[in-house]
Amino acid sequence: MDITHLVAKRSTCLRRQVGAVLVKNKKILATGYNGAPSRMEHCLEIGCLREKQRIPSGERHELCRGLHGEQNAIIQAAYHGVAIRGATLYCTNHPCIICSKMIINAGIERVVYENGYADALAKEMLKESGILIEKFSRSKKLFGVSGDTFQSKGRRVKKSLKQMT
């Protein structure tokens, strides 16, 4: 998840910095962050269309210059011919409905996210698709070892740093 936060720092969105990393067999396949398409002016340069039109977060996704981090990770993999079927998507935020549909059709099998997102339909469709959805959270140090915790279908699973590498 630390890598997703590093990727998110590349974001050119004025509202929310999102990072996404596709992983399979402990190897990074592709990364993505939210921002305008290649060769287009970024919101950092020209301002935010959504702010100008006072569009609330989680609504009217099509009224934005930017692509989401998840979309850019999937597109990057396709652009470079990297197969992502069976991969895990790590993301700083829960995917929206548009990204969720792309994740389902791309064959991604697991999504690990850190922060929530107000999109009930996305959660419903991901659940219906059978994709494993896990909420990630930092845990406090236990016995001098810090680890990360995943919330998976109502269970908390503790993993030490050694197990995760």
Side-chain angles (χ1 to χ4, degrees), residues 48-98:
C48 176
L49 174 66
R50 294 176 62 80
E51 285 294 325
K52 290 175 186 172
Q53 295 185 8
R54 295 190 172 137
I55 300 168
S57 180
E59 296 179 17
R60 306 292 313 267
H61 299 287
E62 75 280 5
L63 297 177
C64 179
R65 292 182 62 80
L67 291 150
H68 291 187
E70 305 94 318
Q71 293 169 338
N72 272 325
I74 292 168
I75 291 166
Q76 182 187 59
Y79 185 84
H80 293 287
V82 176
I84 59 174
R85 181 183 297 139
T88 294
L89 175 77
Y90 291 88
C91 194
T92 55
N93 290 79
H94 190 285
C96 72
I97 185 58
I98 296 169

mmCIF file of all heavy atoms in Angstrom, residues 48-98:
data_model
loop_
_atom_site.group_PDB
_atom_site.id
_atom_site.type_symbol
_atom_site.label_atom_id
_atom_site.label_comp_id
_atom_site.label_asym_id
_atom_site.label_seq_id
_atom_site.Cartn_x
_atom_site.Cartn_y
_atom_site.Cartn_z
ATOM 1 N N CYS A 48 -9.950 23.072 -12.091
ATOM 2 C CA CYS A 48 -10.808 21.894 -12.021
ATOM 3 C C CYS A 48 -12.201 22.193 -12.588
ATOM 4 O O CYS A 48 -12.922 23.050 -12.060
ATOM 5 C CB CYS A 48 -10.931 21.430 -10.570
ATOM 6 S SG CYS A 48 -12.051 20.043 -10.328
ATOM 7 N N LEU A 49 -12.570 21.482 -13.636
ATOM 8 C CA LEU A 49 -13.888 21.616 -14.251
ATOM 9 C C LEU A 49 -14.995 21.299 -13.246
ATOM 10 O O LEU A 49 -16.013 21.978 -13.177
ATOM 11 C CB LEU A 49 -13.979 20.679 -15.465
ATOM 12 C CG LEU A 49 -15.319 20.565 -16.172
ATOM 13 C CD1 LEU A 49 -15.680 21.888 -16.839
ATOM 14 C CD2 LEU A 49 -15.272 19.448 -17.195
ATOM 15 N N ARG A 50 -14.783 20.277 -12.443
ATOM 16 C CA ARG A 50 -15.792 19.852 -11.466
ATOM 17 C C ARG A 50 -15.993 20.910 -10.377
ATOM 18 O O ARG A 50 -17.118 21.155 -9.951
ATOM 19 C CB ARG A 50 -15.404 18.504 -10.855
ATOM 20 C CG ARG A 50 -15.430 17.366 -11.887
ATOM 21 C CD ARG A 50 -14.951 16.058 -11.324
ATOM 22 N NE ARG A 50 -15.778 15.570 -10.233
ATOM 23 C CZ ARG A 50 -16.942 14.939 -10.394
ATOM 24 N NH1 ARG A 50 -17.431 14.742 -11.606
ATOM 25 N NH2 ARG A 50 -17.626 14.513 -9.344
ATOM 26 N N GLU A 51 -14.923 21.545 -9.955
ATOM 27 C CA GLU A 51 -15.039 22.624 -8.966
ATOM 28 C C GLU A 51 -15.776 23.813 -9.576
ATOM 29 O O GLU A 51 -16.652 24.393 -8.932
ATOM 30 C CB GLU A 51 -13.656 23.065 -8.479
ATOM 31 C CG GLU A 51 -12.994 22.101 -7.525
ATOM 32 C CD GLU A 51 -13.722 21.987 -6.193
ATOM 33 O OE1 GLU A 51 -14.280 22.985 -5.697
ATOM 34 O OE2 GLU A 51 -13.731 20.871 -5.636
ATOM 35 N N LYS A 52 -15.422 24.159 -10.810
ATOM 36 C CA LYS A 52 -16.071 25.290 -11.476
ATOM 37 C C LYS A 52 -17.573 25.072 -11.615
ATOM 38 O O LYS A 52 -18.355 25.998 -11.502
ATOM 39 C CB LYS A 52 -15.442 25.524 -12.856
ATOM 40 C CG LYS A 52 -14.026 26.056 -12.800
ATOM 41 C CD LYS A 52 -13.419 26.163 -14.186
ATOM 42 C CE LYS A 52 -11.960 26.548 -14.087
ATOM 43 N NZ LYS A 52 -11.278 26.471 -15.382
ATOM 44 N N GLN A 53 -17.977 23.817 -11.870
ATOM 45 C CA GLN A 53 -19.398 23.505 -12.045
ATOM 46 C C GLN A 53 -20.057 23.035 -10.746
ATOM 47 O O GLN A 53 -21.226 22.649 -10.752
ATOM 48 C CB GLN A 53 -19.568 22.453 -13.143
ATOM 49 C CG GLN A 53 -19.148 22.958 -14.503
ATOM 50 C CD GLN A 53 -19.421 21.954 -15.608
ATOM 51 O OE1 GLN A 53 -20.050 20.925 -15.413
ATOM 52 N NE2 GLN A 53 -18.942 22.273 -16.802
ATOM 53 N N ARG A 54 -19.305 23.037 -9.649
ATOM 54 C CA ARG A 54 -19.796 22.642 -8.318
ATOM 55 C C ARG A 54 -20.438 21.255 -8.314
ATOM 56 O O ARG A 54 -21.523 21.053 -7.783
ATOM 57 C CB ARG A 54 -20.763 23.693 -7.780
ATOM 58 C CG ARG A 54 -20.092 25.009 -7.538
ATOM 59 C CD ARG A 54 -20.979 25.959 -6.792
ATOM 60 N NE ARG A 54 -20.180 27.114 -6.433
ATOM 61 C CZ ARG A 54 -20.617 28.349 -6.536
ATOM 62 N NH1 ARG A 54 -21.834 28.601 -6.940
ATOM 63 N NH2 ARG A 54 -19.843 29.343 -6.190
ATOM 64 N N ILE A 55 -19.738 20.309 -8.911
ATOM 65 C CA ILE A 55 -20.214 18.916 -8.970
ATOM 66 C C ILE A 55 -19.740 18.196 -7.719
ATOM 67 O O ILE A 55 -18.537 18.152 -7.445
ATOM 68 C CB ILE A 55 -19.697 18.216 -10.244
ATOM 69 C CG1 ILE A 55 -20.205 18.956 -11.485
ATOM 70 C CG2 ILE A 55 -20.124 16.755 -10.256
ATOM 71 C CD1 ILE A 55 -19.546 18.533 -12.769
ATOM 72 N N PRO A 56 -20.651 17.616 -6.941
ATOM 73 C CA PRO A 56 -20.252 16.909 -5.719
ATOM 74 C C PRO A 56 -19.404 15.664 -6.027
ATOM 75 O O PRO A 56 -19.545 15.050 -7.082
ATOM 76 C CB PRO A 56 -21.582 16.488 -5.083
ATOM 77 C CG PRO A 56 -22.633 17.302 -5.757
ATOM 78 C CD PRO A 56 -22.101 17.634 -7.127
ATOM 79 N N SER A 57 -18.562 15.305 -5.079
ATOM 80 C CA SER A 57 -17.753 14.096 -5.193
ATOM 81 C C SER A 57 -18.659 12.883 -5.337
ATOM 82 O O SER A 57 -19.700 12.793 -4.704
ATOM 83 C CB SER A 57 -16.885 13.939 -3.944
ATOM 84 O OG SER A 57 -16.107 12.784 -4.032
ATOM 85 N N GLY A 58 -18.262 11.963 -6.210
ATOM 86 C CA GLY A 58 -19.015 10.729 -6.399
ATOM 87 C C GLY A 58 -20.149 10.841 -7.411
ATOM 88 O O GLY A 58 -20.844 9.868 -7.657
ATOM 89 N N GLU A 59 -20.345 12.010 -8.006
ATOM 90 C CA GLU A 59 -21.411 12.209 -8.982
ATOM 91 C C GLU A 59 -20.839 12.668 -10.321
ATOM 92 O O GLU A 59 -19.803 13.302 -10.372
ATOM 93 C CB GLU A 59 -22.402 13.273 -8.483
ATOM 94 C CG GLU A 59 -23.147 12.875 -7.232
ATOM 95 C CD GLU A 59 -24.106 13.952 -6.754
ATOM 96 O OE1 GLU A 59 -24.427 14.862 -7.542
ATOM 97 O OE2 GLU A 59 -24.526 13.877 -5.598
ATOM 98 N N ARG A 60 -21.555 12.329 -11.385
ATOM 99 C CA ARG A 60 -21.237 12.801 -12.740
ATOM 100 C C ARG A 60 -19.761 12.643 -13.105
ATOM 101 O O ARG A 60 -19.083 13.577 -13.513
ATOM 102 C CB ARG A 60 -21.666 14.270 -12.919
ATOM 103 C CG ARG A 60 -23.097 14.605 -12.597
ATOM 104 C CD ARG A 60 -24.109 14.004 -13.544
ATOM 105 N NE ARG A 60 -23.825 14.138 -14.947
ATOM 106 C CZ ARG A 60 -24.254 15.116 -15.744
ATOM 107 N NH1 ARG A 60 -25.005 16.062 -15.259
ATOM 108 N NH2 ARG A 60 -23.963 15.123 -17.016
ATOM 109 N N HIS A 61 -19.275 11.402 -12.993
ATOM 110 C CA HIS A 61 -17.861 11.111 -13.269
ATOM 111 C C HIS A 61 -17.433 11.534 -14.669
ATOM 112 O O HIS A 61 -16.266 11.828 -14.901
ATOM 113 C CB HIS A 61 -17.584 9.611 -13.107
ATOM 114 C CG HIS A 61 -17.848 9.102 -11.734
ATOM 115 N ND1 HIS A 61 -17.031 9.379 -10.669
ATOM 116 C CD2 HIS A 61 -18.851 8.335 -11.250
ATOM 117 C CE1 HIS A 61 -17.511 8.805 -9.593
ATOM 118 N NE2 HIS A 61 -18.609 8.170 -9.901
ATOM 119 N N GLU A 62 -18.375 11.529 -15.603
ATOM 120 C CA GLU A 62 -18.030 11.866 -16.984
ATOM 121 C C GLU A 62 -17.664 13.340 -17.158
ATOM 122 O O GLU A 62 -17.042 13.719 -18.151
ATOM 123 C CB GLU A 62 -19.183 11.484 -17.930
ATOM 124 C CG GLU A 62 -20.391 12.398 -17.903
ATOM 125 C CD GLU A 62 -21.367 12.182 -16.746
ATOM 126 O OE1 GLU A 62 -21.098 11.364 -15.852
ATOM 127 O OE2 GLU A 62 -22.408 12.850 -16.750
ATOM 128 N N LEU A 63 -18.037 14.185 -16.208
ATOM 129 C CA LEU A 63 -17.716 15.610 -16.288
ATOM 130 C C LEU A 63 -16.415 15.895 -15.554
ATOM 131 O O LEU A 63 -16.379 16.509 -14.493
ATOM 132 C CB LEU A 63 -18.864 16.451 -15.715
ATOM 133 C CG LEU A 63 -20.185 16.347 -16.468
ATOM 134 C CD1 LEU A 63 -21.263 17.161 -15.774
ATOM 135 C CD2 LEU A 63 -20.021 16.792 -17.914
ATOM 136 N N CYS A 64 -15.331 15.398 -16.133
ATOM 137 C CA CYS A 64 -14.001 15.549 -15.542
ATOM 138 C C CYS A 64 -12.971 15.346 -16.644
ATOM 139 O O CYS A 64 -13.138 14.480 -17.502
ATOM 140 C CB CYS A 64 -13.813 14.505 -14.433
ATOM 141 S SG CYS A 64 -12.206 14.575 -13.637
ATOM 142 N N ARG A 65 -11.911 16.115 -16.619
ATOM 143 C CA ARG A 65 -10.830 15.944 -17.596
ATOM 144 C C ARG A 65 -9.992 14.699 -17.309
ATOM 145 O O ARG A 65 -9.340 14.174 -18.189
ATOM 146 C CB ARG A 65 -9.892 17.163 -17.566
ATOM 147 C CG ARG A 65 -10.512 18.435 -18.078
ATOM 148 C CD ARG A 65 -9.500 19.572 -18.047
ATOM 149 N NE ARG A 65 -8.356 19.341 -18.897
ATOM 150 C CZ ARG A 65 -8.329 19.524 -20.219
ATOM 151 N NH1 ARG A 65 -9.405 19.921 -20.841
ATOM 152 N NH2 ARG A 65 -7.226 19.305 -20.906
ATOM 153 N N GLY A 66 -10.011 14.268 -16.068
ATOM 154 C CA GLY A 66 -9.096 13.217 -15.643
ATOM 155 C C GLY A 66 -9.629 11.807 -15.769
ATOM 156 O O GLY A 66 -10.823 11.555 -15.829
ATOM 157 N N LEU A 67 -8.683 10.890 -15.805
ATOM 158 C CA LEU A 67 -8.950 9.461 -15.684
ATOM 159 C C LEU A 67 -8.634 9.080 -14.246
ATOM 160 O O LEU A 67 -7.788 9.696 -13.596
ATOM 161 C CB LEU A 67 -8.032 8.665 -16.617
ATOM 162 C CG LEU A 67 -8.317 8.846 -18.097
ATOM 163 C CD1 LEU A 67 -7.048 8.691 -18.893
ATOM 164 C CD2 LEU A 67 -9.358 7.854 -18.525
ATOM 165 N N HIS A 68 -9.287 8.050 -13.754
ATOM 166 C CA HIS A 68 -9.018 7.573 -12.405
ATOM 167 C C HIS A 68 -7.754 6.715 -12.387
ATOM 168 O O HIS A 68 -7.340 6.185 -13.418
ATOM 169 C CB HIS A 68 -10.210 6.781 -11.894
ATOM 170 C CG HIS A 68 -11.412 7.630 -11.632
ATOM 171 N ND1 HIS A 68 -12.545 7.137 -11.036
ATOM 172 C CD2 HIS A 68 -11.659 8.941 -11.874
ATOM 173 C CE1 HIS A 68 -13.427 8.112 -10.918
ATOM 174 N NE2 HIS A 68 -12.922 9.207 -11.429
ATOM 175 N N GLY A 69 -7.163 6.577 -11.217
ATOM 176 C CA GLY A 69 -5.938 5.792 -11.062
ATOM 177 C C GLY A 69 -6.118 4.358 -11.532
ATOM 178 O O GLY A 69 -5.249 3.791 -12.203
ATOM 179 N N GLU A 70 -7.270 3.747 -11.187
ATOM 180 C CA GLU A 70 -7.542 2.369 -11.599
ATOM 181 C C GLU A 70 -7.622 2.259 -13.120
ATOM 182 O O GLU A 70 -7.094 1.319 -13.712
ATOM 183 C CB GLU A 70 -8.878 1.884 -11.005
ATOM 184 C CG GLU A 70 -8.981 1.998 -9.503
ATOM 185 C CD GLU A 70 -9.641 3.284 -9.023
ATOM 186 O OE1 GLU A 70 -9.342 4.359 -9.576
ATOM 187 O OE2 GLU A 70 -10.443 3.217 -8.080
ATOM 188 N N GLN A 71 -8.275 3.242 -13.743
ATOM 189 C CA GLN A 71 -8.384 3.254 -15.208
ATOM 190 C C GLN A 71 -7.001 3.361 -15.846
ATOM 191 O O GLN A 71 -6.676 2.628 -16.780
ATOM 192 C CB GLN A 71 -9.256 4.428 -15.667
ATOM 193 C CG GLN A 71 -10.702 4.304 -15.252
ATOM 194 C CD GLN A 71 -11.478 5.593 -15.472
ATOM 195 O OE1 GLN A 71 -10.910 6.681 -15.547
ATOM 196 N NE2 GLN A 71 -12.787 5.465 -15.569
ATOM 197 N N ASN A 72 -6.183 4.257 -15.313
ATOM 198 C CA ASN A 72 -4.839 4.432 -15.877
ATOM 199 C C ASN A 72 -3.963 3.199 -15.686
ATOM 200 O O ASN A 72 -3.161 2.877 -16.561
ATOM 201 C CB ASN A 72 -4.167 5.672 -15.289
ATOM 202 C CG ASN A 72 -4.505 6.925 -16.078
ATOM 203 O OD1 ASN A 72 -4.655 6.874 -17.306
ATOM 204 N ND2 ASN A 72 -4.642 8.037 -15.395
ATOM 205 N N ALA A 73 -4.116 2.487 -14.582
ATOM 206 C CA ALA A 73 -3.340 1.253 -14.376
ATOM 207 C C ALA A 73 -3.748 0.191 -15.395
ATOM 208 O O ALA A 73 -2.895 -0.469 -16.002
ATOM 209 C CB ALA A 73 -3.523 0.732 -12.947
ATOM 210 N N ILE A 74 -5.054 0.032 -15.603
ATOM 211 C CA ILE A 74 -5.550 -0.945 -16.581
ATOM 212 C C ILE A 74 -5.118 -0.554 -17.995
ATOM 213 O O ILE A 74 -4.654 -1.396 -18.773
ATOM 214 C CB ILE A 74 -7.089 -1.082 -16.477
ATOM 215 C CG1 ILE A 74 -7.456 -1.746 -15.138
ATOM 216 C CG2 ILE A 74 -7.656 -1.874 -17.652
ATOM 217 C CD1 ILE A 74 -8.936 -1.681 -14.792
ATOM 218 N N ILE A 75 -5.216 0.724 -18.320
ATOM 219 C CA ILE A 75 -4.810 1.209 -19.651
ATOM 220 C C ILE A 75 -3.309 1.030 -19.850
ATOM 221 O O ILE A 75 -2.865 0.605 -20.926
ATOM 222 C CB ILE A 75 -5.224 2.687 -19.837
ATOM 223 C CG1 ILE A 75 -6.754 2.789 -19.935
ATOM 224 C CG2 ILE A 75 -4.551 3.291 -21.069
ATOM 225 C CD1 ILE A 75 -7.287 4.203 -19.786
ATOM 226 N N GLN A 76 -2.511 1.329 -18.820
ATOM 227 C CA GLN A 76 -1.058 1.168 -18.937
ATOM 228 C C GLN A 76 -0.700 -0.286 -19.223
ATOM 229 O O GLN A 76 0.157 -0.572 -20.069
ATOM 230 C CB GLN A 76 -0.361 1.642 -17.661
ATOM 231 C CG GLN A 76 1.166 1.544 -17.772
ATOM 232 C CD GLN A 76 1.866 1.840 -16.473
ATOM 233 O OE1 GLN A 76 1.636 1.165 -15.472
ATOM 234 N NE2 GLN A 76 2.739 2.836 -16.498
ATOM 235 N N ALA A 77 -1.359 -1.202 -18.529
ATOM 236 C CA ALA A 77 -1.099 -2.629 -18.771
ATOM 237 C C ALA A 77 -1.452 -3.000 -20.209
ATOM 238 O O ALA A 77 -0.672 -3.679 -20.888
ATOM 239 C CB ALA A 77 -1.885 -3.490 -17.781
ATOM 240 N N ALA A 78 -2.609 -2.553 -20.689
ATOM 241 C CA ALA A 78 -3.027 -2.858 -22.061
ATOM 242 C C ALA A 78 -2.059 -2.248 -23.075
ATOM 243 O O ALA A 78 -1.667 -2.903 -24.044
ATOM 244 C CB ALA A 78 -4.440 -2.339 -22.301
ATOM 245 N N TYR A 79 -1.660 -1.008 -22.853
ATOM 246 C CA TYR A 79 -0.756 -0.291 -23.759
ATOM 247 C C TYR A 79 0.574 -1.028 -23.919
ATOM 248 O O TYR A 79 1.144 -1.072 -25.011
ATOM 249 C CB TYR A 79 -0.522 1.112 -23.199
ATOM 250 C CG TYR A 79 0.292 2.020 -24.082
ATOM 251 C CD1 TYR A 79 -0.306 2.729 -25.111
ATOM 252 C CD2 TYR A 79 1.658 2.178 -23.872
ATOM 253 C CE1 TYR A 79 0.433 3.583 -25.915
ATOM 254 C CE2 TYR A 79 2.406 3.020 -24.671
ATOM 255 C CZ TYR A 79 1.795 3.719 -25.700
ATOM 256 O OH TYR A 79 2.533 4.555 -26.498
ATOM 257 N N HIS A 80 1.038 -1.637 -22.828
ATOM 258 C CA HIS A 80 2.325 -2.342 -22.853
ATOM 259 C C HIS A 80 2.176 -3.852 -23.029
ATOM 260 O O HIS A 80 3.164 -4.585 -22.940
ATOM 261 C CB HIS A 80 3.126 -2.033 -21.590
ATOM 262 C CG HIS A 80 3.558 -0.602 -21.515
ATOM 263 N ND1 HIS A 80 4.547 -0.074 -22.297
ATOM 264 C CD2 HIS A 80 3.093 0.423 -20.755
ATOM 265 C CE1 HIS A 80 4.706 1.207 -22.033
ATOM 266 N NE2 HIS A 80 3.832 1.539 -21.100
ATOM 267 N N GLY A 81 0.955 -4.325 -23.263
ATOM 268 C CA GLY A 81 0.730 -5.747 -23.513
ATOM 269 C C GLY A 81 0.928 -6.639 -22.304
ATOM 270 O O GLY A 81 1.358 -7.784 -22.443
ATOM 271 N N VAL A 82 0.602 -6.129 -21.121
ATOM 272 C CA VAL A 82 0.771 -6.887 -19.881
ATOM 273 C C VAL A 82 -0.569 -7.492 -19.481
ATOM 274 O O VAL A 82 -1.549 -6.769 -19.293
ATOM 275 C CB VAL A 82 1.305 -5.974 -18.751
ATOM 276 C CG1 VAL A 82 1.395 -6.741 -17.439
ATOM 277 C CG2 VAL A 82 2.645 -5.373 -19.135
ATOM 278 N N ALA A 83 -0.608 -8.808 -19.359
ATOM 279 C CA ALA A 83 -1.838 -9.499 -18.949
ATOM 280 C C ALA A 83 -2.096 -9.256 -17.470
ATOM 281 O O ALA A 83 -1.204 -9.430 -16.643
ATOM 282 C CB ALA A 83 -1.719 -10.994 -19.226
ATOM 283 N N ILE A 84 -3.334 -8.864 -17.143
ATOM 284 C CA ILE A 84 -3.671 -8.579 -15.747
ATOM 285 C C ILE A 84 -4.769 -9.496 -15.203
ATOM 286 O O ILE A 84 -5.179 -9.349 -14.051
ATOM 287 C CB ILE A 84 -4.070 -7.096 -15.553
ATOM 288 C CG1 ILE A 84 -5.262 -6.723 -16.418
ATOM 289 C CG2 ILE A 84 -2.867 -6.199 -15.823
ATOM 290 C CD1 ILE A 84 -5.799 -5.327 -16.161
ATOM 291 N N ARG A 85 -5.210 -10.454 -15.996
ATOM 292 C CA ARG A 85 -6.211 -11.413 -15.507
ATOM 293 C C ARG A 85 -5.660 -12.123 -14.277
ATOM 294 O O ARG A 85 -4.531 -12.606 -14.277
ATOM 295 C CB ARG A 85 -6.558 -12.431 -16.583
ATOM 296 C CG ARG A 85 -7.629 -13.433 -16.111
ATOM 297 C CD ARG A 85 -7.936 -14.481 -17.133
ATOM 298 N NE ARG A 85 -8.498 -13.858 -18.331
ATOM 299 C CZ ARG A 85 -8.187 -14.213 -19.578
ATOM 300 N NH1 ARG A 85 -7.350 -15.200 -19.790
ATOM 301 N NH2 ARG A 85 -8.743 -13.602 -20.597
ATOM 302 N N GLY A 86 -6.455 -12.157 -13.217
ATOM 303 C CA GLY A 86 -6.045 -12.815 -11.981
ATOM 304 C C GLY A 86 -5.237 -11.933 -11.039
ATOM 305 O O GLY A 86 -4.817 -12.383 -9.982
ATOM 306 N N ALA A 87 -5.036 -10.667 -11.396
ATOM 307 C CA ALA A 87 -4.226 -9.754 -10.587
ATOM 308 C C ALA A 87 -5.006 -9.215 -9.385
ATOM 309 O O ALA A 87 -6.227 -9.330 -9.300
ATOM 310 C CB ALA A 87 -3.730 -8.598 -11.446
ATOM 311 N N THR A 88 -4.252 -8.607 -8.492
ATOM 312 C CA THR A 88 -4.815 -7.847 -7.372
ATOM 313 C C THR A 88 -4.588 -6.378 -7.660
ATOM 314 O O THR A 88 -3.508 -5.990 -8.094
ATOM 315 C CB THR A 88 -4.105 -8.220 -6.044
ATOM 316 O OG1 THR A 88 -4.399 -9.585 -5.735
ATOM 317 C CG2 THR A 88 -4.569 -7.347 -4.899
ATOM 318 N N LEU A 89 -5.624 -5.574 -7.416
ATOM 319 C CA LEU A 89 -5.513 -4.128 -7.548
ATOM 320 C C LEU A 89 -5.435 -3.524 -6.157
ATOM 321 O O LEU A 89 -6.342 -3.719 -5.342
ATOM 322 C CB LEU A 89 -6.722 -3.547 -8.282
ATOM 323 C CG LEU A 89 -6.744 -2.013 -8.348
ATOM 324 C CD1 LEU A 89 -5.768 -1.522 -9.410
ATOM 325 C CD2 LEU A 89 -8.128 -1.494 -8.614
ATOM 326 N N TYR A 90 -4.338 -2.848 -5.859
ATOM 327 C CA TYR A 90 -4.204 -2.078 -4.631
ATOM 328 C C TYR A 90 -4.527 -0.638 -4.980
ATOM 329 O O TYR A 90 -4.010 -0.112 -5.975
ATOM 330 C CB TYR A 90 -2.771 -2.166 -4.077
ATOM 331 C CG TYR A 90 -2.429 -3.533 -3.544
ATOM 332 C CD1 TYR A 90 -1.900 -4.508 -4.386
ATOM 333 C CD2 TYR A 90 -2.640 -3.846 -2.210
ATOM 334 C CE1 TYR A 90 -1.594 -5.769 -3.895
ATOM 335 C CE2 TYR A 90 -2.337 -5.114 -1.715
ATOM 336 C CZ TYR A 90 -1.812 -6.059 -2.571
ATOM 337 O OH TYR A 90 -1.512 -7.310 -2.090
ATOM 338 N N CYS A 91 -5.384 -0.015 -4.194
ATOM 339 C CA CYS A 91 -5.805 1.345 -4.518
ATOM 340 C C CYS A 91 -5.998 2.150 -3.239
ATOM 341 O O CYS A 91 -6.462 1.617 -2.224
ATOM 342 C CB CYS A 91 -7.100 1.299 -5.324
ATOM 343 S SG CYS A 91 -7.486 2.862 -6.123
ATOM 344 N N THR A 92 -5.660 3.417 -3.300
ATOM 345 C CA THR A 92 -5.829 4.269 -2.127
ATOM 346 C C THR A 92 -7.297 4.494 -1.805
ATOM 347 O O THR A 92 -7.632 4.780 -0.659
ATOM 348 C CB THR A 92 -5.122 5.629 -2.329
ATOM 349 O OG1 THR A 92 -5.606 6.234 -3.524
ATOM 350 C CG2 THR A 92 -3.610 5.454 -2.388
ATOM 351 N N ASN A 93 -8.183 4.383 -2.795
ATOM 352 C CA ASN A 93 -9.616 4.581 -2.592
ATOM 353 C C ASN A 93 -10.418 3.423 -3.175
ATOM 354 O O ASN A 93 -9.979 2.793 -4.141
ATOM 355 C CB ASN A 93 -10.073 5.876 -3.263
ATOM 356 C CG ASN A 93 -9.548 7.086 -2.553
ATOM 357 O OD1 ASN A 93 -8.392 7.454 -2.724
ATOM 358 N ND2 ASN A 93 -10.371 7.686 -1.728
ATOM 359 N N HIS A 94 -11.598 3.185 -2.618
ATOM 360 C CA HIS A 94 -12.505 2.180 -3.179
ATOM 361 C C HIS A 94 -12.874 2.638 -4.589
ATOM 362 O O HIS A 94 -13.154 3.816 -4.816
ATOM 363 C CB HIS A 94 -13.763 2.062 -2.316
ATOM 364 C CG HIS A 94 -14.630 0.910 -2.683
ATOM 365 N ND1 HIS A 94 -15.428 0.911 -3.804
ATOM 366 C CD2 HIS A 94 -14.819 -0.277 -2.089
ATOM 367 C CE1 HIS A 94 -16.072 -0.242 -3.880
ATOM 368 N NE2 HIS A 94 -15.718 -0.982 -2.837
ATOM 369 N N PRO A 95 -12.896 1.741 -5.559
ATOM 370 C CA PRO A 95 -13.227 2.120 -6.937
ATOM 371 C C PRO A 95 -14.657 2.654 -7.082
ATOM 372 O O PRO A 95 -15.568 2.224 -6.377
ATOM 373 C CB PRO A 95 -13.075 0.810 -7.717
ATOM 374 C CG PRO A 95 -12.195 -0.041 -6.859
ATOM 375 C CD PRO A 95 -12.510 0.338 -5.453
ATOM 376 N N CYS A 96 -14.834 3.580 -8.023
ATOM 377 C CA CYS A 96 -16.166 4.081 -8.377
ATOM 378 C C CYS A 96 -16.850 3.042 -9.275
ATOM 379 O O CYS A 96 -16.251 2.029 -9.625
ATOM 380 C CB CYS A 96 -16.050 5.419 -9.098
ATOM 381 S SG CYS A 96 -15.392 5.280 -10.789
ATOM 382 N N ILE A 97 -18.066 3.318 -9.700
ATOM 383 C CA ILE A 97 -18.804 2.364 -10.535
ATOM 384 C C ILE A 97 -18.138 2.173 -11.899
ATOM 385 O O ILE A 97 -18.067 1.047 -12.398
ATOM 386 C CB ILE A 97 -20.297 2.765 -10.687
ATOM 387 C CG1 ILE A 97 -21.071 1.687 -11.452
ATOM 388 C CG2 ILE A 97 -20.441 4.112 -11.360
ATOM 389 C CD1 ILE A 97 -21.029 0.306 -10.820
ATOM 390 N N ILE A 98 -17.619 3.238 -12.487
ATOM 391 C CA ILE A 98 -16.975 3.112 -13.804
ATOM 392 C C ILE A 98 -15.737 2.229 -13.700
ATOM 393 O O ILE A 98 -15.550 1.296 -14.482
ATOM 394 C CB ILE A 98 -16.631 4.499 -14.387
ATOM 395 C CG1 ILE A 98 -17.919 5.293 -14.655
ATOM 396 C CG2 ILE A 98 -15.808 4.364 -15.672
ATOM 397 C CD1 ILE A 98 -17.684 6.757 -14.974
#
